[in-house]
Amino acid sequence: MESSTTAIQGARDFYASKKNSLTLTRWGLWSGATIGIALSALSGKRASIWPVALFMLMFVALLDWFIRKQQHTGKVLISVDADGISSPVFNGKIKRYEWRSVAEITLTRLQNVPTLQLVLNPSLGQPNKKSFWTGLNPAKPTLPLSALDEASQAQLLEAIQQRRQAHAVFLAPAKINNEIAEEKAFADRLKALTPTPWVTYCLIATNILLWVATLAKGGTVAGTPADLLLQWGGNAASEVQRGEWWRMASSMFLHNGMMHIALNMLGLYSVGITVERLYGPRLFALIYLGSGLVGSALSLHFAAQAAVSVGASGAVFGIAGALVVGIWEHRRQLPRSISKQTLVNAGIFILYSLAQGFAQQGIDNAAHIGGLLAGSVLAYLLPEQLDPDRYERTVRRKALMALTMVLAAAAGLATAAPQARLDQRGVQHFTKGLRAMSNAFNAFQQEAEQVKAGKRSERELDERSRTVYAPMMRQALMELSQAQLATSDPRHPMLVDATRMSELLLESLAMESVFPAGPDKPEPADPARAEAIARELKTVSEHFVSLQSKK
């Protein structure tokens, strides 16, 4: 039912709006469930889809029922009259409050939910303390307004003011605050400073396009191979120490998998727009890129020592830190609800993300911390657009100072990084060499099976061993010979064995043949050497397999 009001004996009744946040939540739940079931159908086994789909639908249906119950569709949601206000969705057991018992009324947001909060007169004796179990404060009852749209919320506040003024026995006027209106006015002011946050949108588009490009080059939704990330500019201490400093910047635009980029871009979108409007496009770009650069430089001391580090999370942490610093510096000039809510939400996001990084492997927390510190310092140095005169007067000088600081910090951290524990280029040669050796050997074995099946002659296989498979094995040996791994690297013994195996296989495949028993019965030109190769190859391959099993 569309939100409406009815005057009955001085009362004003409010119904759930057709377009409200609860309705959007319901649409989101069903859309998410549909997408989840579709993805399961595409990636999973059909036999296991139905139980998952049934459970998901039952769970969403339960949530949908609960949300619709909160809307009280077709029933009076809130009633305001000359004596007080009543609603079945008041938190707590009491569903009606008289005006004479109310000292203050505030339209605010609690956990991002529009809420009408009452402050009761101390004379009523209600304890002003939140319950540990329910989180409710008897002295500050709340009424969630998720079922009302913005226009209806404003009408509700207007109706409260009118009915209270009509109350003849009201002794002292209660203070009425509309923090949501203050929030909107501040948001409109920020939007006027930067109507379209183009830098944020361009950064998101660039990150997504590059991720799609890596998919086209061999990456998958689940993850991108390390060798491809390194080839495209991933951050690695061994490569930066070879002089490829540009990797500290390029790595912040690469991502390893759909979840990785989705979480980073969601964070960039939710925080970046506000920070861009607060500091302006140019300074926002400086904060974002500077934070990412310093985060990458700090990573050279930790994660990038032995892995290929990628992702925009260092830059995202930087703009989150900038938001906290910017809001904190102006907390007395901003609407109280905005400063408090923003600081709490950003603080929770930062602490939770850092805790996750310490608790799980594969997360580059050094880049997070480096980006967070850089973004916070940059935000402290740079001027915000809230004071236009000061901004125009100081922006160039402070931007130059901030840029100098970023470059000095990144260069200093990168220079001071210890020698890389792992040579990523060597690892990539090792991986490619193993893959090339395996491909050549498996292809040769398949042709040998064709010979046994009578589909190909022994002479053909003998000729192809020298013209096709020996060059393939030579390529594998070339890759393995460039894989310079430290003796402390656990893969070093495998590299030694793989190199020797490729040498033996190459010699065997390239050996000339003789045909003493007929034109289709080739034999090695050097039988003694061929036998020695076979014996050594058996020993080395058995040792290689044992190393793989211990890996």
Side-chain angles (χ1 to χ4, degrees):
M1 178 179 289
E2 186 70 38
S3 174
S4 61
T5 59
T6 307
I8 303 175
Q9 297 180 348
R12 192 168 182 181
D13 297 336
F14 291 81
Y15 298 85
S17 307
K18 183 178 293 185
K19 297 180 180 179
N20 57 60
S21 59
L22 291 178
T23 301
L24 292 175
T25 301
R26 290 178 59 204
W27 275 102
L29 284 172
W30 287 110
S31 299
T34 303
I35 294 172
I37 292 172
L39 290 175
S40 299
L42 292 173
S43 60
K45 296 180 180 179
R46 292 186 178 182
S48 62
I49 292 173
W50 294 110
V52 174
L54 182 61
F55 173 78
M56 189 178 296
L57 290 174
M58 290 177 62
F59 181 72
V60 171
L62 180 64
L63 289 177
D64 183 73
W65 170 82
F66 178 77
I67 292 173
R68 284 189 288 108
K69 187 178 179 182
Q70 302 307 305
Q71 290 182 295
H72 291 268
T73 305
K75 300 179 182 179
V76 175
L77 187 67
I78 304 170
S79 182
V80 181
D81 57 38
D83 295 318
I85 180 172
S86 58
S87 172
V89 295
F90 260 118
N91 289 326
K93 296 181 179 179
I94 302 175
K95 303 301 180 182
R96 179 174 174 80
Y97 293 90
E98 303 294 327
W99 297 132
R100 60 177 173 233
S101 65
V102 178
E104 186 174 340
I105 302 169
T106 301
L107 180 59
T108 186
R109 293 186 190 275
L110 299 178
Q111 285 77 49
N112 208 32
V113 175
T115 303
L116 189 72
Q117 185 178 63
L118 310 181
V119 177
L120 302 183
N121 287 316
S123 59
L124 296 177
Q126 293 283 7
N128 188 9
K129 184 179 180 181
K130 279 187 178 182
S131 168
F132 176 80
W133 300 107
T134 64
L136 301 178
N137 186 341
K140 296 180 178 179
T142 55
L143 173 60
L145 303 180
S146 302
L148 297 182
D149 56 26
E150 291 184 5
S152 298
Q153 293 168 20
Q155 291 172 10
L156 172 63
L157 211 59
E158 180 185 359
I160 290 173
Q161 181 118 12
Q162 292 174 349
R163 297 308 184 275
R164 282 182 56 261
Q165 290 174 350
H167 187 42
V169 297
F170 194 72
L171 300 177
K175 182 180 178 182
I176 298 182
N177 306 308
N178 190 343
E179 293 182 352
I180 291 181
E182 294 176 358
E183 288 179 23
K184 188 175 185 306
F186 178 73
D188 290 342
R189 180 185 173 192
L190 276 184
K191 189 173 182 179
L193 293 172
T194 306
T196 305
W198 288 113
V199 175
T200 301
Y201 295 155
C202 288
L203 287 171
I204 292 173
T206 301
N207 278 278
I208 292 175
L209 287 173
L210 282 173
W211 178 68
V212 172
T214 59
L215 286 181
K217 290 295 182 178
T220 66
V221 171
T224 305
D227 57 344
L228 180 59
L229 292 175
L230 187 71
Q231 179 185 346
W232 278 57
N235 191 29
S238 62
E239 306 313 299
V240 173
Q241 288 165 358
R242 283 191 172 98
E244 297 179 354
W245 289 48
W246 50 269
R247 290 179 177 274
M248 293 190 293
S250 60
S251 60
M252 73 177 79
F253 294 96
L254 300 172
H255 289 84
N256 183 22
M258 185 172 70
M259 285 300 297
H260 189 203
I261 190 170
L263 291 175
N264 277 344
M265 294 305 99
L266 180 62
L268 173 56
Y269 179 81
S270 60
V271 182
I273 292 176
T274 302
V275 176
E276 183 173 352
R277 285 174 170 160
L278 190 61
Y279 288 92
R282 293 172 296 174
L283 297 189
F284 170 72
L286 175 57
I287 293 172
Y288 181 90
L289 297 173
S291 299
L293 195 63
V294 173
S296 294
L298 186 59
S299 177
L300 296 174
H301 294 252
F302 299 95
Q305 278 278 304
V308 180
S309 178
V310 295
S313 52
V316 173
F317 265 81
I319 59 174
L323 179 62
V324 170
V325 170
I327 295 297
W328 177 260
E329 284 187 311
H330 295 276
R331 63 190 182 280
R332 291 183 177 85
Q333 290 79 38
L334 300 180
R336 184 176 64 89
S337 59
I338 285 185
S339 58
K340 181 180 178 181
Q341 179 182 320
T342 302
L343 291 173
V344 169
N345 290 345
I348 291 174
F349 163 75
I350 291 170
L351 292 176
Y352 176 78
S353 299
L354 290 177
Q356 285 286 97
F358 285 118
Q360 296 182 14
Q361 292 184 344
I363 297 178
D364 192 352
N365 240 7
H368 296 173
I369 294 171
L372 176 64
L373 293 175
S376 300
V377 173
L378 287 171
Y380 182 76
L381 291 175
L382 296 171
E384 302 87 358
Q385 292 192 112
L386 296 175
D387 186 345
D389 293 336
R390 176 175 174 269
Y391 181 84
E392 292 299 330
R393 191 173 62 253
T394 63
V395 62
R396 291 185 180 180
R397 175 174 57 84
K398 292 198 171 185
L400 181 60
M401 183 191 309
L403 179 61
T404 303
M405 186 211 72
V406 162
L407 295 177
L413 285 169
T415 303
Q419 188 64 32
R421 296 199 306 270
L422 194 65
D423 186 340
Q424 288 296 335
R425 192 174 299 183
V427 171
Q428 303 310 321
H429 284 303
F430 175 60
T431 304
K432 290 179 180 178
L434 282 183
R435 189 184 304 128
M437 183 178 71
S438 177
N439 290 341
F441 181 77
N442 290 335
F444 182 81
Q445 288 294 101
Q446 288 177 2
E447 287 210 23
E449 292 296 326
Q450 291 179 354
V451 170
K452 290 181 181 180
K455 298 179 180 179
R456 191 182 292 273
S457 70
E458 290 186 33
R459 189 181 187 96
E460 285 181 295
L461 180 59
D462 177 68
E463 291 176 355
R464 286 174 62 80
S465 72
R466 288 184 293 275
T467 60
V468 176
Y469 297 112
M472 290 175 65
M473 195 60 67
R474 188 173 290 108
Q475 179 65 32
L477 179 59
M478 186 179 68
E479 291 286 353
L480 290 169
S481 64
Q482 297 180 65
Q484 303 297 324
L485 299 181
T487 54
S488 58
D489 192 309
R491 285 166 287 201
H492 185 266
M494 295 177 63
L495 172 61
V496 173
D497 283 352
T499 303
R500 185 55 183 160
M501 287 168 61
S502 63
E503 290 172 345
L504 293 169
L505 287 168
L506 174 58
E507 185 179 356
S508 176
L509 291 168
M511 184 179 289
E512 293 294 333
S513 299
V514 295
F515 300 87
D520 291 329
K521 295 294 181 181
E523 293 182 10
D526 187 348
R529 180 55 187 158
E531 186 177 348
I533 290 174
R535 285 198 305 269
E536 186 179 358
L537 189 59
K538 180 181 179 182
T539 302
V540 176
S541 61
E542 287 176 351
H543 186 253
F544 181 80
V545 170
S546 69
L547 291 175
Q548 281 188 313
S549 63
K550 295 176 183 178
K551 186 178 176 182

